[in-house]
Amino acid sequence: MLSTVHTAFPLNHQKPYSAHLCSLSSRGIIANTSLLLTPTRPRSSPSLCAALPTDASSAAAATVREESEEGAALPSLLRQGPLPKHVAIIMDGSSRWARARGMPSSFGHEAGHRALKKIVELSGRWGVRALTVYAFSSENWTRPEAEVDFLMMLFESVLKGSLGDFMKDEISVSIIGDITELPQSLQKLAKEVVDMTKKNTKLDVLVAISYSGRRELKRACQNIAQKVKHGLLAPEDITESHIEQELETNHIEFPHPDLLIRTSGELRVSNFLLWQLAYTELFFTKTYWPDFGEEDYVEALHSFQSRQRRFGQRLN
Amino acid sequence: MRLGMKIPSMLKDNDIDVMDVADELTGVLTPPLQKFQSSTILKLILGFCWYLLHLVVSIVHMASCLNQLLLSCIISTGLLSKYQNLQLDNLKCLAIVVDSEEARDTTKIKQLLCWLSSINIQHITLYDMQGVLKKAIANDLKSLTSMTVRPCSDDDAQTISSQFKMDKMTIEILSFSDGKEGIGKAASFLCSKYIRGDFVSCNRSEPTFEESEVTSALKAIGYGGPEPELLLVYGPARCHLGFPAWRLRYTEIVHMGSLRSMNYGAVVKAIYDFSKKHQNYGK
C-alpha cells in the first residue's frame, strides 16, 4: 500500500559510499535497521481449517504441532496466558545509550540492531505473529544530512546481510511509510527483499521507515477520494471502515497491535500507528533499546498477559 | 605344607572375595544414596532461594508503592515547594481518559476537575469510550457554566461533544464517536469538497490532501480540537481507549491507576514530571 505520490529524492543524498564513511568516521552517527514491503497474503483461519477435508487437516495438525513446539520454547512465566498476536516497538534510546558509554551514536545503533535481531528471533520462536518496529520517522529526515545518509547505507547493508535469515526463519518483511523518499538503490533492494520474502508465513515483520501516522491517515483519505472520483464510492457512504481498509498495516493477518513497547523512558507514541493503537496496551520501559533483551521482552509480554485478564470489553 | 598353606590362602581369598563383594556393593549403593541426598538438599536450597527471591521482589515492589503513596501525600500537604509552583507554559491542554465503568462515579470526576482548576489548567478534554461522561457530567456543567455546543444539530444532544467555558478553564467532553468516526466523516467531507472542485488538487490526476486540510475538515464538521500535551489515563487498562487519533501525535501518556484511588499528589506529580520533559520531535 505504498503512496503513489512521487517525491524526487534530493540529489545531494546521492553521495559516494566512501565519502559518507569518511564524513561519518569523524562524527558520531546513529545507525538503525529497516525492512520491506509485501503484498497482501491471506492466511487460513482455525475455523476454516476445521472444516477442511482430511488432507487439509494434516496441515492443521502440523500447525498444532508447531504451536506446541512454540509453547515448549516459551519461558515458564509466559505460559499462563495468551501472548499478543501483534507487538509494536518504538526502539528508542540507542544514541543516549552510546553517549552514556562515551561512544559515538553509531555504536549505539549497531547495538540496537543486535537487540532487534534478538527480539525478532524471540518473537518467531514464541509465536508472536506480527512485529512492527519504528525505525525511522518522517521527522528524522530533519537530522543532519550525513547522519541520514549513513543510516540509509546501514539499512542497505542490513537488508543484504539479513535476507538469508529472513528466508531461514520464514519471516515476511514489509515496509510501512514513504519509501519513495529513500535512495533509489535502497528502494530497489527493498522491493527485491519484499518480493523474495512475501511467501514466508511464520512472522510478519513490518518496519516503519520514513513513517508518519498522520500521513498514513491522510493518504487513506486520498485513496478513498480516488475511489470516489472513479464512482466506486459515494462521499456520504464513507465510514471509518473505509479508512481502516486503506491503512498500510491492513495487508497482514493481525493489523492492530495488541501491545506497544517503547524503550528509553519516553511516554508517548510519537506519531506512530495513531489509528491502530486505539486499544493497544502501552508498555513504557526506562531501558534503552540496545539493552532491551529477552528478560525485558518477557517482562513486557507478561505485563500484557496480566493486564489482559483485568481488561473489560472492547469495541471492535 | 602346600595344603596347609593353601587353606589359609583360600580362607584369605574368600575373605578377600567377600570383602570385594562388600566393597563393590557399597560402591554401587552408596553413590545413589549420596546423590539422592545431595539432590534433595539441592532442591530444598534452590526452592528456598526461589521463595526468598520472590519475597525480596515483593518487598521491593511494596516499598516502591508505599514510597509513591507517601510522596503523593506529602505533595498534597504542600510541604514540597517545587510542586507548588508548576510551570505550565508547555501544558496548554490536558486530556483525561477514564474507563467508562469508572466514569459513572461523577463525584470523582468533579473532584478531579476542581483539582485541575486549582492548578490553573486552561483546557481539559475529558474522554470515555461509551459517552458516559457526556450524559452524566454535561448536564451538571451546564448549570455551572455558559455552555457552547458544537454545531451538529443533527446529532443526539446526549452524544455530541460539548465544550464548557468556566472562568479560566474550558472543558471538552468526548467519546468514541469523536475518534475514528470523526476521521471517517472528515474523509467524507474532504471527498465531497474534492468532487465539487474546491481543492487546488482537483486539477491533478490524483487527489492529494495536506495534513492541514484534514485538520481543517475535522474542525469544519465539529471534530476539531487542540492536541493535548499530556493525557492521564484512569482505569485498569493502560491504553487510551480510542481517544481521537489525529490529536495524539506527541502526547505524553501517563497511567494513573483506578479513578477510585486517585489523589491530588499523583496528579500534581504527573504534571510536574511533564513540565521537566524535553521532546526532540524526532530531530
Side-chain angles (χ1 to χ4, degrees):
Chain A
M1 301 275 182
L2 281 180
S3 166
T4 56
V5 175
H6 296 284
T7 306
F9 196 81
L11 288 176
N12 56 5
H13 281 222
Q14 302 294 336
K15 292 183 179 175
Y17 182 67
S18 57
H20 288 299
L21 290 180
C22 290
S23 64
L24 292 164
S25 64
S26 60
R27 307 179 190 188
I29 293 296
I30 299 171
N32 217 318
T33 59
S34 70
L35 295 167
L36 296 171
L37 188 60
T38 188
T40 304
R41 188 186 69 253
R43 205 177 264 143
S44 59
S45 68
S47 58
L48 179 61
C49 285
L52 291 173
T54 51
D55 54 345
S57 66
S58 61
T63 305
V64 170
R65 200 164 47 245
E66 282 175 11
E67 287 175 354
S68 67
E69 287 170 358
E70 286 168 358
L74 268 179
S76 56
L77 197 61
L78 298 180
R79 291 181 194 167
Q80 299 172 10
L83 285 179
K85 292 292 184 194
H86 184 169
V87 176
I89 303 178
I90 300 177
M91 306 180 292
D92 197 12
S94 298
S95 293
R96 278 170 279 170
W97 181 88
R99 277 199 296 274
R101 285 154 178 76
M103 301 297 288
S105 299
S106 55
F107 181 76
H109 289 272
E110 287 289 346
H113 168 232
R114 289 191 291 273
L116 175 62
K117 203 170 173 179
K118 181 67 179 173
I119 297 303
V120 169
E121 180 204 330
L122 292 173
S123 299
R125 198 196 305 169
W126 293 343
V128 173
R129 302 299 297 275
L131 181 68
T132 302
V133 294
Y134 204 5
F136 193 87
S137 70
S138 57
E139 289 88 355
N140 290 152
W141 288 111
T142 58
R143 289 190 176 181
E145 183 184 324
E147 177 181 333
V148 172
D149 290 343
F150 177 80
L151 279 169
M152 296 300 121
M153 286 190 305
L154 189 64
F155 292 167
E156 282 198 49
S157 66
V158 167
L159 277 176
K160 283 178 191 169
S162 302
L163 179 57
D165 292 334
F166 298 150
M167 300 309 294
K168 179 172 69 73
D169 297 332
E170 297 180 62
I171 294 172
S172 167
V173 172
S174 311
I175 276 187
I176 57 173
D178 189 0
I179 71 167
T180 60
E181 294 181 342
L182 304 179
Q184 292 294 331
S185 57
L186 182 54
Q187 289 185 46
K188 183 171 176 290
L189 176 62
K191 284 172 186 170
E192 285 172 5
V193 175
V194 166
D195 286 338
M196 291 177 72
T197 62
K198 64 184 178 184
K199 291 185 180 175
N200 295 335
T201 57
K202 189 172 181 185
L203 174 65
D204 289 312
V205 176
L206 291 76
V207 174
I209 177 168
S210 187
Y211 176 85
S212 159
R214 271 201 176 182
R215 188 162 57 182
E216 185 182 25
L217 290 172
K218 180 199 74 173
R219 285 183 180 158
C221 293
Q222 284 172 188
N223 293 342
I224 292 170
Q226 183 81 340
K227 291 181 179 177
V228 169
K229 180 182 174 183
H230 293 294
L232 301 172
L233 186 62
E236 57 270 16
D237 294 334
I238 296 170
T239 64
E240 64 270 22
S241 62
H242 293 104
I243 301 278
E244 186 81 41
Q245 289 166 18
E246 299 297 333
L247 297 178
E248 293 183 78
T249 51
N250 191 47
H251 65 280
I252 61 173
E253 187 177 358
F254 303 99
H256 291 175
D258 301 296
L259 173 67
L260 170 78
I261 301 168
R262 178 162 189 161
T263 55
S264 86
E266 304 297 336
L267 305 178
R268 51 189 180 271
V269 300
S270 295
N271 207 8
F272 183 50
L273 302 179
L274 294 177
W275 181 280
Q276 295 88 333
L277 292 179
Y279 311 114
T280 302
E281 298 285 349
L282 306 175
F283 182 84
F284 299 116
T285 174
K286 291 183 180 176
T287 306
Y288 289 141
W289 175 243
D291 286 332
F292 192 85
E294 180 172 347
E295 291 165 5
D296 304 279
Y297 201 25
V298 168
E299 183 189 349
L301 296 176
H302 180 63
S303 175
F304 167 82
Q305 290 178 328
S306 304
R307 295 172 195 170
Q308 184 78 350
R309 285 194 285 272
R310 292 199 302 269
F311 190 60
Q313 199 172 18
R314 292 182 183 179
L315 291 178
N316 291 321
Chain B
M1 290 292 287
R2 285 175 67 183
L3 183 60
M5 289 174 66
K6 199 170 183 179
I7 292 174
S9 66
M10 282 173 64
L11 285 174
K12 282 183 185 175
D13 287 342
N14 285 336
D15 288 340
I16 290 170
D17 288 339
V18 168
M19 289 300 292
D20 286 344
V21 169
D23 286 341
E24 284 180 13
L25 279 174
T26 307
V28 167
L29 291 175
T30 304
L33 280 172
Q34 286 178 348
K35 282 180 187 174
F36 176 74
Q37 288 169 356
S38 308
S39 67
T40 306
I41 293 170
L42 188 62
K43 280 179 187 172
L44 286 172
I45 293 172
L46 286 174
F48 175 74
C49 289
W50 179 247
Y51 285 115
L52 190 64
L53 184 63
H54 269 268
L55 183 64
V56 168
V57 170
S58 300
I59 290 172
V60 168
H61 179 68
M62 207 180 307
S64 173
C65 292
L66 283 172
N67 182 45
Q68 285 183 5
L69 192 61
L70 190 62
L71 182 60
S72 296
C73 291
I74 293 173
I75 292 171
S76 301
T77 58
L79 291 174
L80 297 175
S81 59
K82 69 175 181 178
Y83 292 103
Q84 296 308 305
N85 299 316
L86 296 173
Q87 298 298 321
L88 300 178
D89 299 333
N90 295 332
L91 185 57
K92 301 289 186 294
C93 175
L94 172 70
I96 309 282
V97 169
V98 187
D99 179 74
S100 292
E101 285 302 313
E102 298 193 4
R104 298 179 200 280
D105 188 352
T106 54
T107 308
K108 288 284 186 183
I109 299 292
K110 291 172 192 172
Q111 187 176 26
L112 184 58
L113 289 175
C114 287
W115 288 346
L116 295 172
S117 176
S118 70
I119 299 173
N120 296 324
I121 304 294
Q122 295 176 359
H123 187 113
I124 296 174
T125 303
L126 292 175
Y127 174 90
D128 81 284
M129 203 160 64
Q130 295 175 9
V132 170
L133 290 173
K134 282 180 179 176
K135 296 169 191 170
I137 294 287
N139 286 333
D140 290 342
L141 287 176
K142 275 179 199 176
S143 62
L144 294 174
T145 66
S146 57
M147 184 186 77
T148 305
V149 180
R150 176 168 56 85
C152 286
S153 56
D154 293 339
D155 294 315
D156 183 358
Q158 295 296 327
T159 57
I160 59 172
S161 71
S162 299
Q163 280 201 3
F164 303 93
K165 199 83 175 160
M166 299 179 83
D167 286 335
K168 301 174 191 175
M169 193 165 71
T170 301
I171 301 172
E172 186 186 10
I173 305 180
L174 304 178
S175 67
F176 180 75
S177 60
D178 300 290
K180 292 187 175 183
E181 273 186 39
I183 295 179
K185 289 179 182 175
S188 174
F189 179 83
L190 286 168
C191 290
S192 298
K193 280 190 75 173
Y194 178 77
I195 293 294
R196 288 198 305 266
D198 291 349
F199 283 121
V200 173
S201 61
C202 295
N203 298 325
R204 298 183 193 158
S205 59
E206 294 168 356
T208 55
F209 303 132
E210 298 299 325
E211 289 183 22
S212 57
E213 288 168 334
V214 178
T215 304
S216 299
L218 285 166
K219 194 176 177 184
I221 61 173
Y223 289 96
E227 295 178 49
E229 288 84 13
L230 178 62
L231 186 146
L232 305 181
V233 179
Y234 284 97
R238 298 185 188 217
C239 69
H240 60 71
L241 299 173
F243 188 90
W246 194 257
R247 297 161 69 169
L248 272 178
R249 261 190 316 176
Y250 304 119
T251 305
E252 293 276 317
I253 302 171
V254 180
H255 183 247
M256 303 295 286
S258 168
L259 191 68
R260 279 190 301 274
S261 58
M262 71 173 194
N263 64 80
Y264 178 73
V267 174
V268 170
K269 187 171 185 311
I271 295 174
Y272 174 81
D273 289 342
F274 169 78
S275 69
K276 298 300 175 190
K277 282 272 186 179
H278 172 70
Q279 284 203 28
N280 289 329
Y281 298 99
K283 295 174 189 172

